[in-house]
Amino acid sequence: MGKKRIVIALGGNALGKTLPEQYLAVQETSKAIADLIEDGNEVIISHGNGPQVGMINNAMAAYSKTDPSHPAITPLSVCVAMSQAYIGYDLQNALKEELLNRGIHKNVATVITQVRVDENDPAFLNPTKPIGHFMTKEEADKAVESGIQVMEDAGRGYRRVVASPKPAEIIEIDTVRDLLNAGEIVIASGGGGIPVIRKNNHLKGVGAVIDKDFASCLLAKELNADFLIILTAVEKVALRFGTPDETWLDAISVEEAEQYISEGHFAPGSMLPKVQAGVEFAASAPGRTSLITLLEKARDGVNGKTGTRIMK
Ligand code: ADP
Ligand code: MG
């Protein structure tokens, strides 16, 4: 099959949760990505950052207790930026090594990526995503005083809660495109991107997290990709997931996917954003295919052998 432009969105299991887990996980992840590159495809990689950004957020909070000159809260936008560099560092090195082992001489680079959100996005009125460490009532009150929103999390204590707005614009998209057109492998838009709002020439970080599935969809549309591959912990998407009459989906149309979404087959916060992102990409132009599958099935999925595909 001919050369395709593929945006790969890596899920949590492609990266692991701890430093040593990530170091090992990226080696396996790199093999699956190198397979696609070896087949002649152009590859752009994006990834999630849930555990990593949580770890960084908690680490900065702990540090502030030892150094009173350090603010108690590190902006979430800064934590996302740190997570992009930390994950990109491991991933770009592992992928470069895997490519060299196969005799493929291509550069791999991570682009620290900001993603603009709309400050009037309704998500800001209803923050839903709990992040970071648990706080006592006293700590929570102090956090609220410093302008942080906090909620009680299922009887376990208080946690910071942030909005999850939709991505509106990838700030570094021209840089990503230039690198791609120069034949390089790019890692971009990690953790959904660093959320920013625009104030004239100034980009201001905001305390939100962007869903990596939606950010990857925007990246794929902007780069005019042929494929959006969302790699996760299941080989296919299911109807009636986890029930005795669970049914795994192969190829479905945009209309079928929309029907299944409206019937509530996909869990919010996990499979729903993937199917929604898949629908949005496939519906955006003819010839665009979305694929949801396991990391180790990426090559088979592109070749139509497995995974759930969404096509117009
Ligand atoms: P990632 O880190 O890749 O974003 P998530 O845990 O957010 O992974 O989402 C993938 C998970 O969604 C699967 O492992 C599965 O447990 C769950 N899931 C929910 N609904 C479905 C469904 N209808 N079909 C398949 N998996 C589903
Ligand atoms: Mg997820």
Side-chain angles (χ1 to χ4, degrees), residues 10-12 48 50 129 211-213 230 232 269-271 273-274:
L10 300 174
K129 211 163 168 64
D211 196 297
K212 70 107 175 36
D213 299 312
I230 301 178
T232 186
S270 61
M271 191 47 76
K274 298 182 204 314

Side-chain angles (χ1 to χ4, degrees), residues 169-241:
E169 176 191 355
I170 297 169
I171 303 294
E172 287 79 13
I173 193 67
D174 292 336
T175 308
V176 173
R177 200 179 281 116
D178 288 349
L179 288 169
L180 195 60
N181 289 337
E184 312 216 342
I185 317 286
V186 187
I187 302 167
S189 192
I194 303 162
V196 295
I197 54 174
R198 196 191 290 284
K199 297 275 183 197
N200 300 314
N201 286 340
H202 179 66
L203 295 173
K204 184 178 185 299
V206 289
V209 288
I210 303 168
D211 196 297
K212 70 107 175 36
D213 299 312
F214 294 130
S216 304
C217 170
L218 180 58
L219 186 64
K221 288 199 294 186
E222 290 289 314
L223 296 175
N224 197 16
D226 304 294
F227 264 94
L228 170 63
I229 309 187
I230 301 178
L231 298 177
T232 186
V234 285
E235 185 165 344
K236 294 179 184 183
V237 179
L239 299 180
R240 296 172 292 276
F241 179 68

